[in-house]
Structures are given as C-alpha cells and as structure tokens.
Amino acid sequence: MISMMRKRGASQTKKAALVLLACSLLFTACSSNSKPEASSGTNAGTSKERVTLKIEVFDRGNSPAGSTITDNYLTKFVQQNFGDPNNIDVEFVPVPRSEEVEKLNVLMASGSNVPDIVFTYDPNTFNRYATQGGLTDVGPLLDEHAPNLKAFLGDDVLGYGQFQGTQFAVPAIRSIVGKYASFIRQDWLDKLSMPVPQTTEELYNVLKAFKEKDPSGTGGQVIPLGMTIASAQYEPLIWSFIKPTTEEQKYTLMQQLGSNDYPTLLPGFKEGLQFMNKLYNEGLMSKDFGLDKDKKKLGEDVSNGKIGFFSEDDINPFYDKGSYDVLQQNVPGALLASVDVYTNEEGKHAKPMYAPNGLYIMIPKSSERSVEAIKYLEWMATGDNLFKMQNGVEGENYTMVDDIPVTVENQTEEAKNRLYNSGDMAIISNGKQLGSMEKNLKARELQMPKKFQDQVAAAQKVANSDVIPPVLMDRPIEAQTKYATTLLDKFNEMIVKTTMSKPEQFESIYETMLKDYMASGGQAILDERTAVYKEMLAK
Amino acid sequence: MNAKGRGAASSLRVNRLHKEETAVSLNAYFRRYWQLYALLVLPLAYFIIFKYGPMYGIQIAFKDFNFFQGIMGSEWIGLEAFKEVFGMRDFYLTLRNTLMLNFLDLLVSFPAPLILAIMLYEMRTLWFKKLSQTILYIPHFISWVIIGGIVYQVFGTQSGMINNLITSMGFEAIPFLTDKNDWLITYLLVGMWQSAGWGTIIYLAALTGINKELFEAAGIDGAGRFKRIWHITLPGLKSTIVVLLIINLGHMISIGFERPYVIGNLAVREYSDVLSTFVYRIGLQSGQYTLATVVGLFQAVVGLVFVLGANYASKKLTDESIL
C-alpha cells in the first residue's frame, strides 16, 4: 500500500499530462471529428427550439454566501434579459482564475464540455488555438449580427483579435490603459525634511536616508524600496533605464512574453539590473523579493509600515481594507503619496501601458452556437446592458453625478453582493465604459474610498503619463507562442540572480543568464521578429 | 497473490478428483471461491483504468498533437519531438537536478525512518511511544502548499523566524531559501521531517514479525542493546529494507511535483527546477503536450531500467528481490 501511495505521488505530473488528457481525448476524437463543419448561420434565428449557450466565467472563489459563481445576481440578469427573450438557456462554466490557461487547455482538448464562449488574457494561447485551427472565424458573424459591438470596440481593438488577417477573436476593450504608479511615505519625508524625489538619483538618496535614519523607528526592519518579482514592482524601475529606442529596435529587440513586452535585449536593460544589484547589495531593497511572486509579502510589509517606497498598479494600495487602509490603522499618521520618480535619459518617467484590448474572447470551432454567442456579446454592447452589469441598480449601488455613476457608500449587503463578479461577467470591457477616458478615470476614482480619492487621482495621472505603448507585430510570432512561458521564467530568474549577486560577480552571472535565455528561445524570437520587421518594411 | 495461489492449488486438486465432471466442478469451485475473485476486481480495475488505459496517450509523443483534432487526428511525426527534447538545455538541467535531489534524498531520507523505527521499537514506556508516533505521523498529512507557507515563515531571510533569531543575536542572516546550497539543505531536511515518521510504519510492521524469544535469548547470553539491534533487529529488517530500496531506486528518475515546486524559487532554480516542474511548464502551461509526453515516456522507460537493475543487483548480492 505504501509503495502504491509513493508511486502515486511521484508520478503526479505524468498523471496530469497523460491520464487526464488521454482519457478525455478519447471523447474528443469521436465528438469533434464527427461534426467537422459546425456551420454558422444555418438554423440560428429561424428555429424556435430552446438552446443552451455555454459561457466561460472566471472563478475567483469569492462568491458571497447565497451566491455561487454560476448562480448569482448577474447570471440571473443575463438569463432574464438576454436568455429568456431569445429562447436561450445561458449556462456558465467556471474556470479558476489562477490557472485559467492550464484549465482552458484541458477544457479545449477534452472537446466534450467546451463552452461556446471562452476567453483568455494570454495572447500566446489565442495564437496557439488559432494556429491549430480550433477557432471560429467571427468576422462574418460580427458583420451580420453585431453592429453595436463593432462600433463599441472600434477597428483598433478588433485588430488585436486578428490572426493572419482572419478575425478569430473578439478582443475586449480596455477602458483605462495606464498601468503603474509609485508611492512614497510622505510622513517619512516630512520627518527628514526631504522633498519628494523627482529623479532616480534623488530617489537613491532618499532610500539611503530612509535606511540610515530609520524615520519611523522600526529598529532596523526598514525596507527602503519594496520589491517583488511581479511586473508591477520591477517594470517601472527597469524601463526607466531603457535608452531611447528606434522604430527598428522596438520591433526587433523587444520580446513579448505573455501580454507584456520585455526589454531583455534593449540597450539599457543591463544598467537597470545593475542599479537593482546596487540597491540590493546596499540593503536598500526587500531581501526576499525573489520569493514574492504574488505581492503578498509586499502588501504585508507596506501595511506594517516597513516600506518607504514602492511601485504598484496605480490604484491597488487604495482599496477599502487594502494596504494603505491597514497601514493607517497600524501606524497612526502614516501618509502614502502617489509619485512619479524613475526617470530615463531623456528626463521622462517612462513606463509601460496596457494594450487597448483586454480579454481575447473566442468561439471554439466545435461550437454549434456561434451565432448565439455573438448575439450575446452584441446584447451586452447594446443599450444600457453593459452599464447595468457594471454598475448595478441606481439608488442602491450608485447615483449619477455629472453623468458619472458614483458608488453608494454603506450599501446593503444585498447590493454589495450584486457586483462582486461584475468584472468577470462584463467580458466585452475591461473596466467601466462611460464614453471617454476622462470619465472612465473619474468613475474609477469615485468608486474608491473617499479619503483616498485625491491620491487615487494622482496615481492615475502618473500611470497615464509618459507611457510606452506595446508593439503590435504584423503577424503573430510563432517562437513567442512556443517559448513565452519558459522565457518569462528565465527573465524573472535573470532579474533575481543578477540582483542578488555580489557586485563583482554581476558581469559573469549576467552573461551566463543572457546566454541561457537566448539559447532557450530568445534567439528564435529575435530572428523571427527581425524577419517580420523586414517584411513590414518591404510592403 | 495469496488468493491466486490458493485458488490455483485448490483447482488442481479439484481437477484431479473429478476429471470427467469438469464443468460441474468448475462451477462449484467458483461458487466456493467467488469472494476471492470479487476482491481482485477493484485492484484490477484500478490498474486497467489508471495505469493501462492512459498508455493509449503515449502515442502523443510521436505525434504533432493538435488540441482540436484529438489524438487520432493528429499527424505522426516520428521521433522529431524526441530530438527537440534532447536538444533542450533545460531538459538536461532538470534531469540532473532530479537525479541529484533524489539521490541526496535517498541518502538523507531513506535511513531516517529505519533509525526512527528502531528507536520507537526500543522504547519501553507505551504511552510515550504512542504519543511520539502520532506526532511523527502528523507532517505526512499536511499538504505541501501549507508546508511551503510554513517554510517561508520559518526560513525567510528578512522576516523568517530563525533568521530573526540569528540577526537579533548579532549574526548575519542565512539565506536558507535563496542561496542554492543552503536551499538544498532546507529542501532535504523539510522532506525528511515530512516523510520520516510515516515511513516508520512499514518497519514497525516488519519488526513485530521478529520472534521476541530471540531478544530474550540474546539478553541472557549477555548481548547489550546495540548488539541486539545489530544482530537481531537489523537482519530481521533486511528484506524490508531491500524491497523499499528497490522501490526507491525505481523512482530515482521521477520526482513529485509539489515539493520542488512549492519550496523552490527563482533564486535557486538552478537546483530546484526538476523534470516534473519542467513537464508542467512545457505541457500544461505552454500547451506543448507532445514534448511533455516525451519527457514522461522517457522517465517511465528509465525508471523501468532502474527497477530491473536494482532488482537484479539485489538478487545477486543478497538473494532478496521482488520480481
């Protein structure tokens, strides 16, 4: 018995790869092949027969009591307002948020219970499905059934859903494209009578002062710069070291791993790492940052008043019971100010921004409900349906002030629970859509706790200034699809190892790591991007 | 095994007695022993469903697997995927790490339950023995994810319990989790802590099989505690040790996913990246099931060679074997 149990533990992965897949694939082989052309417009509007439309939904495990992720206020809202009038049963298929790609891969391969609408944030997953011919061409469907949706998204966003000229996905639109801001303990600066740092150099001096003078008396526990191995913390720092890039360099030397562009090969990247190495070795940075992938430790340290300065997604620290809120409870008088510090050669506070699209919404080729699926998205983009899904009930969830829905304070439990999954249900838009960027930003500001709204506004301003737009290649880079996961790991490893190395070993570790990175797919991406860029020039 | 043996013996006897009435006697035989066969059904079903059924999927290793065409619909590509895997640097790195971690684990974690079991066996105060056994078993039932959390809290460089203690005494913090050599020791010790107690069970069971009179006789002849352990306990456990060793050697090439994945981190990836995390990354995360299957198949084949080799060696050396 014991030997069997050990065996089971030891061959866990093999089981995951083989058992799960192979078993489920037995069904795929039959089911998906028997209906090779899941034709689109055959029986759509004409038949009166009630059909079922299956839609993926992210499960974050945060359903309040009385609701489940597949049965809650919004699922009922969808059923009543879209399903019932169109004679459709809407069924939601939960996928855990933290492993959406893995689960989606297994779901797609199983063929048996694939939802009619699936989505992912990962462009490489989208490209992979498109390459393997598993997606419905939604171009004609959009033309025929979805005028509102097309107008809502616009050509620019729709372009992100094209694969070699064919519209294989409906990309969601992003209402706010700013990403990162930085935050500093204003009360510490005041105590040391130092001004807010304006450049990277000034920041370095402030960090040193934080460490040496320990303004809050943590007893040597102070962490001047809060760092993690998540992009929100290291990207603003590293990108500020990237030298001004030419058009050609942008296209050829960047490496898109997942949804972000990475500057591995751009001039200046090494200097960025070197700066991190310096901060680390002088004890100015979180020592265990390499272990903190999910920013949990960072949040803890901020709340406990140990951290003097850090970068983060612009509004993240300001949520109700978020890190700033808790910090104020733990350390009376603590003040966090939104600032823009890291400066590049040109004196700009350069930092990445989001692409204008969010989720890639896809319809698997095997789906027989592609028309209904598009109609669902069209319904969401029509009238005030999206607005209602994002804002709830007027008077209970929000009140209108100057055309902007303002979240009602002290909502009833019932009202609060209405919108807990709104972001994952209103899939066609990432963030609230109110017609203009200013309004979108204002609305987001107003939904945060009142006492922090000034700092939220400042942070949003920071996040949207001097931004570096992502680069969209003419056609998908196959090598990126293939190597992205591995290379992202290597990229992060490179940051951790070079930062933590002794200064005299920096050079050799950097060289080894870069060589390994290039050999593990970095070179293949570089070659392919260079080739595509040449094609683009030739056009 | 037992059931089969007895069944075969009795069927022989039955056959000899009623040669001309085979049909009737077979009927009677089944009526008499059907429970034994019924008992066999579940284990057999387990092996067929979970061990043999999935072998159908091995062909993925030789195909350019396409999600949407399924296994049958995907194209054959021969050994191309094998070439690709054997050309990957990460494959050799993870293979080395797998063998290294397993080998060190064998050195550290294999003798631990044996020593622990003998110590427990020698214990005379019953309530204390039972209490220690229970406490020793507990870690086995804690999930690795939780152990990972505990490990970070205890061994962290900046805020870990142990390092807080060390730095408060004025010494330099030890990077238990971020220096690769320190990490290796942490990894091995945590593994031992988790598995040693549970591992004693099989030895304790074997120990109950040793005739108590041997100990008494040895005592009367003047053998001390260590002499008795050396000359009676250990020889009594020899076959159990060999069987467990063979099983362990068979798993040299395969490694659990949770432990290296949860305890490992980017700073020590040079050591913590193993075949199972490699398969997870290229298979489930990157969707390259063909490559993942190749690695899985490779592990299975090498594992088989290891088991057969260890078994053969043990037969030659000690006359003990399991096949």
Side-chain angles (χ1 to χ4, degrees), chain A residues 1-19 21-23 25-26 28-29 32-33 99 101-102 104-106 108-110 122 125 128-135 221-223 229 280 285-288 290-291 293 297 300-301 306 364-365 481-486 488-490 492-493 496-497 500 512 515-516 519-520, chain B residues 46-47 49-51 53-54 56-58 60 65-73 84 88-90 93 110 113 140 152-153 155-160 164 177-180 198-199 201-202 244 247-248 251 254-258 261 264-270 273 275-277 279-289 291-293 296-297 299-300:
Chain A
M1 186 180 83
I2 286 173
S3 78
M4 209 129 91
M5 294 177 83
R6 290 193 179 177
K7 206 169 170 188
R8 220 190 291 163
S11 58
Q12 156 100 27
T13 7
K14 204 167 64 195
K15 224 165 84 185
L18 285 177
V19 177
L21 251 173
C23 275
L25 278 171
L26 282 167
T28 334
S32 66
N33 283 354
E99 44 188 14
V101 172
E102 293 88 329
L104 191 59
N105 280 343
V106 174
M108 288 297 243
S110 80
D122 180 22
T125 302
R128 186 174 308 121
Y129 293 162
T131 317
Q132 299 198 347
L135 300 177
Q221 298 251 330
V222 61
I223 303 169
I229 196 62
Y280 182 86
M285 185 198 284
S286 317
K287 280 217 178 72
D288 285 331
L291 307 178
K293 264 190 199 166
K297 193 90 187 81
E300 257 171 51
D301 289 341
K306 288 184 188 169
K365 201 164 207 165
T481 310
K482 196 163 176 189
Y483 299 115
T485 324
T486 302
L488 189 51
D489 259 17
K490 299 240 180 232
N492 287 337
E493 191 186 356
V496 172
K497 297 274 285 196
M500 293 178 65
T512 333
K515 223 168 108 193
D516 184 33
S520 306
Chain B
Y46 168 82
F47 277 100
I49 294 171
F50 292 109
K51 299 287 168 192
Y56 165 79
I58 288 177
I60 293 176
F65 179 67
N66 181 314
F67 280 96
F68 305 98
Q69 258 128 43
I71 296 182
M72 293 315 278
E84 190 174 343
M88 286 166 110
R89 294 161 58 103
D90 275 9
L93 178 79
F110 185 73
H140 174 81
Y152 281 6
Q153 296 293 328
F155 294 103
T157 314
Q158 198 149 32
S159 53
N164 279 352
L177 296 171
T178 45
D179 177 86
K180 58 184 186 185
W198 184 252
I201 286 186
I202 204 159
L244 285 181
I247 291 172
N248 268 305
H251 292 153
S254 62
I255 188 161
F257 172 74
E258 292 100 330
Y261 185 76
N265 62 67
L266 286 166
V268 295
R269 240 182 68 136
E270 231 179 303
D273 200 15
L275 283 172
S276 56
T277 51
V279 165
Y280 176 72
R281 197 167 57 240
I282 59 169
L284 286 181
Q285 288 192 312
S286 315
Q288 296 169 299
Y289 289 118
L291 301 184
T293 315
L297 187 60
Q299 280 179 288

Side-chain angles (χ1 to χ4, degrees), chain B residues 188-310:
Chain B
L188 292 172
L189 290 183
V190 171
M192 191 170 88
W193 170 79
Q194 195 261 358
S195 66
W198 184 252
T200 58
I201 286 186
I202 204 159
Y203 289 117
L204 287 172
L207 280 168
T208 54
I210 299 176
N211 193 344
K212 287 258 192 294
E213 287 171 15
L214 287 174
F215 288 102
E216 283 163 28
I220 290 164
D221 288 348
R225 175 158 284 179
F226 287 100
K227 278 239 156 94
R228 274 182 296 185
I229 290 175
W230 188 253
H231 291 290
I232 302 169
T233 316
L234 280 176
L237 288 174
K238 196 171 91 181
S239 56
T240 314
I241 297 173
V242 168
V243 167
L244 285 181
L245 192 65
I246 292 173
I247 291 172
N248 268 305
L249 283 174
H251 292 153
M252 264 324 235
I253 188 84
S254 62
I255 188 161
F257 172 74
E258 292 100 330
R259 186 168 153 211
Y261 185 76
V262 167
I263 301 186
N265 62 67
L266 286 166
V268 295
R269 240 182 68 136
E270 231 179 303
Y271 280 174
S272 70
D273 200 15
V274 293
L275 283 172
S276 56
T277 51
F278 178 60
V279 165
Y280 176 72
R281 197 167 57 240
I282 59 169
L284 286 181
Q285 288 192 312
S286 315
Q288 296 169 299
Y289 289 118
T290 301
L291 301 184
T293 315
V294 167
V295 179
L297 187 60
F298 170 80
Q299 280 179 288
V301 171
V302 177
L304 185 68
V305 172
F306 265 88
V307 175
L308 293 178

Side-chain angles (χ1 to χ4, degrees), chain A residues 123-356:
Chain A
N124 293 317
T125 302
F126 161 60
N127 287 338
R128 186 174 308 121
Y129 293 162
T131 317
Q132 299 198 347
L135 300 177
T136 304
D137 175 6
V138 291
L141 294 171
L142 283 173
D143 289 340
E144 195 179 337
H145 300 285
N148 289 327
L149 181 64
K150 280 186 77 167
F152 173 74
L153 297 174
D155 287 341
D156 191 23
V157 172
L158 279 168
Y160 281 85
Q162 287 180 359
F163 181 86
Q164 298 179 348
T166 312
Q167 192 80 40
F168 275 127
V170 180
I173 190 169
R174 208 175 256 287
S175 63
I176 290 165
V177 291
K179 256 186 170 173
Y180 308 131
S182 300
F183 306 92
I184 198 162
R185 282 288 294 272
Q186 184 67 49
D187 53 320
W188 289 12
L189 288 176
D190 295 344
K191 209 168 196 174
L192 304 173
S193 359
M194 293 179 91
V196 172
Q198 301 296 331
T199 63
T200 312
E201 215 168 289
E202 286 175 34
L203 174 68
Y204 173 73
N205 294 330
V206 168
L207 294 178
K208 267 194 105 93
F210 280 173
K211 183 174 172 71
E212 281 155 14
K213 299 184 182 142
D214 194 6
S216 72
T218 50
Q221 298 251 330
V222 61
I223 303 169
L225 171 66
M227 184 53 65
T228 70
I229 196 62
S231 37
Q233 279 68 50
Y234 67 69
E235 279 203 338
L237 188 154
I238 287 179
W239 277 97
S240 74
F241 278 88
I242 301 301
K243 305 238 154 49
T245 37
T246 64
E247 200 68 358
E248 180 176 355
Q249 283 176 321
K250 255 183 222 157
Y251 280 106
T252 55
L253 297 183
M254 275 205 217
Q255 306 237 319
Q256 191 193 349
L257 314 172
S259 29
N260 294 1
D261 281 332
Y262 287 83
T264 332
L265 305 175
L266 287 177
F269 176 59
K270 188 176 165 190
E271 284 74 13
L273 293 180
Q274 216 142 20
F275 183 64
M276 283 182 73
N277 178 273
K278 180 172 151 183
L279 294 178
Y280 182 86
N281 279 299
E282 293 180 15
L284 299 177
M285 185 198 284
S286 317
K287 280 217 178 72
D288 285 331
F289 80 101
L291 307 178
D292 195 11
K293 264 190 199 166
D294 51 11
K295 311 194 253 190
K296 228 184 216 151
K297 193 90 187 81
L298 177 86
E300 257 171 51
D301 289 341
V302 170
S303 314
N304 289 332
K306 288 184 188 169
I307 288 180
F309 174 89
F310 65 104
S311 305
E312 183 45 307
D313 294 322
D314 52 358
I315 62 167
N316 249 11
F318 299 114
Y319 285 101
D320 186 34
K321 299 195 184 81
S323 46
Y324 189 16
D325 205 5
V326 180
L327 170 68
Q328 288 201 322
Q329 283 168 27
N330 289 344
V331 185
L335 289 174
L336 208 57
S338 309
V339 290
D340 209 0
V341 179
Y342 295 121
T343 316
N344 69 7
E345 246 183 35
E346 294 172 305
K348 283 187 176 164
H349 302 300
K351 56 185 101 52
M353 65 179 248
Y354 283 111

